[in-house]
Amino acid sequence: MIVDYKDVNDLNRYKMMSDTVVPRPIAWIVTEDNGIINAAPFSYFVPLSSNPPVVIVSIGKKEDGTPKDTLYNILKHKKATICFVNKNSCEEVKNCAMPLDKNESEVETYNIDVQKVLEDFPAMIASTQTALFCEFYKTVDLPGKTTPVILEVKKQFIEEGRLDEKSHVHIDNVGRSGAFFKAMVDL
Ligand SMILES: Cc1cc2nc3c(=O)[nH]c(=O)nc-3n(C[C@H](O)[C@H](O)[C@H](O)COP(=O)(O)O)c2cc1C
């Protein structure tokens, strides 16, 4: 069958696209504002280029139409730390997807350990095996409720023993597949 996207409503189009473009990596993004550490997962997320080293993440609006805290903080402070999800952190990630008040921190509410590894970037989720320390590059104009944000990777944390002598990184990421989390398997 051929589905004509103009005949599908927004919610069903979202379900069809996010069940189809799988598995998607999850950017578990940490930002800061007024000393409050915000952490939230985003799976409309991909690398765009390695030179310049940029990734793109699409951030929607809150129910009330205001920008999600992550977007607000990135546009204000121009910094984001992208962490990655592994089998042990799925529950924490699910918690971080729940809408909290702007002045409430997910990491405090859900007791998530963070580590400040670089003074000039937001803290990193302590359990992540790798993290990308990014600066705001630009937003992309798109009609509708979503703001695609391009971020430039400035530095990367790689847990001890995960970078080999040929510059390959070995991590056990969990990705998004429809409404589910999926771990990677070797074939
Ligand atoms: C695995 C996963 C992936 C998500 N991907 C996105 C996404 O790509 N874009 C988006 O706007 N929201 C996404 N969400 C929902 C946000 O995480 C959620 O709206 C969160 O409350 C935003 O938090 P903030 O207001 O602190 O930025 C996702 C949720 C989960 C669990």
Side-chain angles (χ1 to χ4, degrees):
M1 72 187 286
I2 298 289
V3 177
D4 190 333
Y5 268 29
K6 76 171 162 20
D7 301 329
V8 184
N9 69 30
D10 278 6
L11 178 61
N12 289 342
R13 205 180 312 109
Y14 166 73
K15 287 189 209 160
M16 289 168 66
M17 285 182 74
S18 59
D19 286 349
T20 302
V21 185
V22 292
R24 294 188 306 287
I26 301 169
W28 194 2
I29 302 186
V30 183
T31 52
E32 293 174 358
D33 185 37
N34 292 331
I36 295 165
I37 301 179
N38 193 89
F42 297 88
S43 67
Y44 273 51
F45 162 63
V46 279
L48 278 185
S49 153
S50 303
N51 185 15
V54 292
V55 298
I56 190 164
V57 54
S58 278
I59 306 182
K61 298 264 188 321
K62 293 187 182 186
E63 294 270 304
D64 63 5
T66 59
K68 292 190 182 180
D69 299 339
T70 303
L71 178 63
Y72 177 94
N73 292 350
I74 290 174
L75 295 179
K76 182 169 173 190
H77 297 284
K78 318 288 184 210
K79 297 279 173 85
T81 298
I82 300 181
C83 301
F84 291 82
V85 184
N86 57 57
K87 276 188 190 164
N88 302 326
S89 46
C90 291
E91 283 311 308
E92 291 178 338
V93 171
K94 280 188 212 162
N95 285 335
C96 285
M98 298 208 257
L100 285 189
D101 205 75
K102 171 87 180 67
N103 54 24
E104 284 179 307
S105 165
E106 289 80 3
V107 301
E108 279 178 25
T109 306
Y110 304 115
N111 281 320
I112 299 170
D113 288 337
V114 292
Q115 223 180 315
K116 186 83 176 171
V117 278
L118 292 175
E119 213 30 65
D120 49 346
F121 285 91
M124 166 186 109
I125 304 283
S127 65
T128 193
Q129 297 169 352
T130 187
L132 306 175
F133 298 98
C134 301
E135 284 180 6
F136 172 73
Y137 190 84
K138 59 153 87 169
T139 52
V140 177
D141 269 341
L142 206 61
K145 294 179 188 157
T146 303
T147 306
V149 184
I150 300 179
L151 295 165
E152 181 170 4
V153 183
K154 292 294 188 181
K155 294 180 180 168
Q156 179 169 2
F157 160 82
I158 303 171
E159 200 175 54
E160 213 48 51
R162 295 191 178 275
L163 179 68
D164 71 20
E165 64 288 351
K166 291 186 173 158
S167 293
H168 288 293
V169 178
H170 302 272
I171 48 170
D172 313 303
N173 276 1
V174 162
R176 189 69 159 172
S177 196
F180 304 98
F181 292 94
K182 292 264 161 95
M184 292 196 298
V185 290
D186 288 328
L187 294 176

